[in-house]
Amino acid sequence: CCLPSDKTVNVSGLFGGANTAEIISRCSASNEATVVGLLQQFKETLVAAQHPETGCDAGAEGRTDDRLWEELSSPIRECGNKVMDGQTVQGKNDCNGDSECWTLSCVSEGDSSHCSKARGSAAAEPILRCVVNNVDRELWDFLAMSIDVDSF
């Protein structure tokens, strides 16, 4: 399906909610609930990763060992770093075109080009794009179970 690039954000810069009209226009009404559920799960996971004292670490305590929790949550941190550092999809610091960047923006400066960096609300979509491409199958299965759909 697809993820809308047009999103609603709140003042703090976190993803505030899905633009359902955009989802319906790009994905069809039959996929709306699935896409909205996936975006909501991603929002909660991203917030939890940024606030471990109330999020990821607190939620994981007593449920899994540290190794498994690290394996499941590391793609979000790694993707956040890549997006905020302006790395390419391949992890390089220079790019030749927009499609090589998680932010979809390759910026030329003199003789070199680099991916634009994203922070705050602008980072949510590129981080999600990166996570979708790099996350472990177990996390997809968990997300599918959380929004009550078959995993793919």
Side-chain angles (χ1 to χ4, degrees), residues 21-33:
E22 186 72 13
I23 291 170
I24 291 170
S25 74
R26 291 183 183 215
C27 305
S28 83
S30 63
N31 292 317
E32 176 190 0

Side-chain angles (χ1 to χ4, degrees), residues 52-116:
E53 67 282 357
T54 59
C56 292
D57 292 348
E61 191 172 336
R63 294 190 201 165
T64 63
D65 64 30
D66 291 339
R67 180 197 53 77
L68 178 59
W69 189 249
E70 178 62 26
E71 182 181 320
L72 293 175
S73 62
S74 66
I76 295 169
R77 282 191 308 280
E78 291 169 10
C79 287
N81 291 336
K82 289 177 183 178
V83 168
M84 290 186 274
D85 291 342
Q87 290 184 1
T88 67
V89 172
Q90 300 299 322
K92 298 179 181 176
N93 292 323
D94 58 330
C95 56
N96 295 312
D98 293 344
S99 64
E100 294 181 15
C101 303
W102 294 118
T103 56
L104 300 178
S105 177
C106 181
V107 180
S108 296
E109 289 185 0
D111 293 336
S112 65
S113 299
H114 63 277
C115 295
S116 64

